[in-house]
Amino acid sequence: MTVAQPWWRSAVTYQLYIRSFADSNGDGIGDIQGITSRIPYLKSLGIDAIWVTPWYPSPRIDNGYDVMNFMEIAPEYGQLEDAKRLIDALHSANLKLIVDIVPNHSSDQHEWFQEALRSEPNSPARDRYLFRDGKGMSGELPPNNWESIFGGPAWTRVIDSDGFPEQWYCHIFAPEQPDFNWESSTVRNHFEDVLRFWLDMGVDGFRIDVAHGLIKAFGLPDAPTQERLGMLESRAFPFWDQEGVHDIYRRWRNITDSYPGDKVTVAEAWVNPPSRVARYARPGELCTVFNFDFMSCRWNAQELRESIDRSIDGLAEVGAPATWVLNNH
């Protein structure tokens, strides 16, 4: 008897940047109703699913990847009711919807971070993020030598209500994107609630932003170099590809597997070699991982062939399909 394969193993997924895709009300901003109105066009492309970039409330310092509320829709894009209608309409057209989830960091305008700024050092509110005392005679130096992906130190110092400098907080990306502390059970429980919220709405899966960055090395040690990492790099650093991320994704897989319909989880994980990429898609963890090795190749037949062979061989060890990424925002 032949067992049907999950839909995502052979699906073609179209990334949709909501803000510029389709504007339903003439305000110059793409929105959810605009997507719904273009379902016949999307269907005509021959795709199986769409992936919608973040549609959450956001100051948009980083194109919506600085999220203020993970269980709400940005007003300029619509309301939760619009999202539900879109999901139902896509399913009626036999199309799937994958939404972006951004678990590494929030916006600095998130209510949790604003509460943390008002709270004392070592308080429960600050424990949701990576606040640390600085080095030097009066804490004037960052806690370690980490550099932000966007340039400059990965630490910003807080100024208290009286104008005095105090602790520092970590942001692997922009200063407006403070990193969550994934050692906190509050953070872990919250994102499990986020997953269930959208699964209850009927989404078919999640693209996980910076999936390899949630856990930082114990003690937040200095990096081996202060050279800034690029987004496409995968060198070993204390804030990348730590073993603890796999515990998180095993819990997430239990949640997605508890829903019908073969829900998919796709990791954005810049790691090498392919054998380490494959670890994110082991049985009981995530479903698949973006294949950035293939996307990053030059337009050269030999390089592309070698990348394809590396990817297939590496992922075959865990029985996962290669996800051929042709472009990315």
Side-chain angles (χ1 to χ4, degrees):
M1 179 178 176
T2 302
V3 178
Q5 293 288 331
W7 64 269
W8 46 264
R9 293 188 71 97
S10 59
V12 176
T13 301
Y14 180 94
Q15 180 184 4
L16 190 155
Y17 184 58
I18 185 171
R19 199 171 186 84
S20 63
F21 182 71
D23 172 16
S24 71
N25 58 11
D27 66 356
I29 300 172
D31 48 46
I32 295 173
Q33 290 189 32
I35 300 173
T36 305
S37 73
R38 298 297 193 273
I39 288 177
Y41 162 73
L42 292 167
K43 184 71 175 176
S44 75
L45 298 177
I47 61 174
D48 302 288
I50 63 171
W51 152 33
V52 179
T53 52
W55 54 9
Y56 315 108
S58 168
R60 299 193 52 75
I61 297 297
D62 183 21
N63 297 309
Y65 285 90
D66 47 322
V67 178
M68 293 171 60
N69 185 332
F70 293 89
M71 292 187 279
E72 189 53 86
I73 298 291
E76 63 267 32
Y77 298 150
Q79 300 177 345
L80 287 170
E81 292 80 4
D82 297 313
K84 178 59 177 169
R85 282 191 286 269
L86 170 63
I87 294 166
D88 292 343
L90 286 167
H91 289 168
S92 294
N94 199 30
L95 293 173
K96 309 287 188 181
L97 177 66
I98 297 169
V99 295
D100 232 312
I101 188 169
V102 190
N104 182 69
H105 49 261
S106 73
S107 166
D108 62 351
Q109 300 304 304
H110 191 290
E111 63 178 359
W112 275 7
F113 191 71
Q114 290 298 304
E115 181 185 0
L117 293 179
R118 297 190 300 267
S119 300
E120 296 294 321
N122 305 315
S123 63
R126 290 209 172 177
D127 187 55
R128 298 165 180 154
Y129 294 90
L130 293 173
F131 281 87
R132 294 293 187 274
D133 294 332
K135 295 180 178 179
M137 293 293 292
S138 57
E140 72 278 7
L141 300 176
N144 62 31
N145 69 348
W146 295 359
E147 288 287 301
S148 163
I149 298 299
F150 290 166
W155 296 90
T156 291
R157 199 171 190 188
V158 172
I159 304 300
D160 69 18
S161 58
D162 295 321
F164 294 104
E166 42 131 313
Q167 285 190 307
W168 300 70
Y169 68 87
C170 179
H171 52 86
I172 297 303
F173 294 90
E176 296 88 354
Q177 294 171 287
D179 279 40
F180 284 115
N181 171 24
W182 273 87
E183 304 298 341
S184 163
S185 59
T186 302
V187 170
R188 294 187 182 224
N189 292 338
H190 175 66
F191 274 94
E192 291 178 9
D193 289 343
V194 170
L195 293 178
R196 292 187 182 96
F197 178 85
W198 292 109
L199 290 167
D200 288 343
M201 286 274 286
V203 305
D204 300 288
F206 302 93
R207 178 266 186 188
I208 304 165
D209 189 61
V210 196
H212 60 310
L214 276 55
I215 297 292
K216 278 63 173 177
F218 180 77
L220 309 185
D222 279 347
T225 173
Q226 213 166 348
E227 178 186 356
R228 180 168 70 93
L229 286 177
M231 274 298 290
L232 306 186
E233 296 187 54
S234 55
R235 288 176 286 170
F237 267 69
F239 48 79
W240 277 172
D241 195 27
Q242 301 297 307
E243 187 63 29
V245 298
H246 299 284
D247 294 331
I248 296 167
Y249 297 136
R250 281 188 283 271
R251 289 176 61 95
W252 285 20
R253 185 62 179 264
N254 287 336
I255 292 171
T256 57
D257 280 355
S258 71
Y259 285 77
D262 292 321
K263 305 302 184 182
V264 65
T265 47
V266 186
E268 181 205 32
W270 301 94
V271 295
N272 265 325
S275 58
R276 289 200 69 82
V277 176
R279 297 172 78 248
Y280 288 78
R282 290 177 294 192
E285 295 193 31
L286 303 179
C287 297
T288 186
V289 187
F290 279 180
N291 187 350
F292 292 119
D293 183 69
F294 178 75
M295 186 188 78
S296 303
C297 281
R298 294 182 301 173
W299 191 244
N300 175 280
Q302 184 62 32
E303 287 190 24
L304 291 167
R305 172 62 182 266
E306 290 172 357
S307 173
I308 290 169
D309 288 344
R310 282 195 303 271
S311 300
I312 291 175
D313 291 345
L315 289 161
E317 298 175 11
V318 296
T323 299
W324 306 110
V325 179
L326 301 181
N327 209 334
N328 185 54
H329 64 275

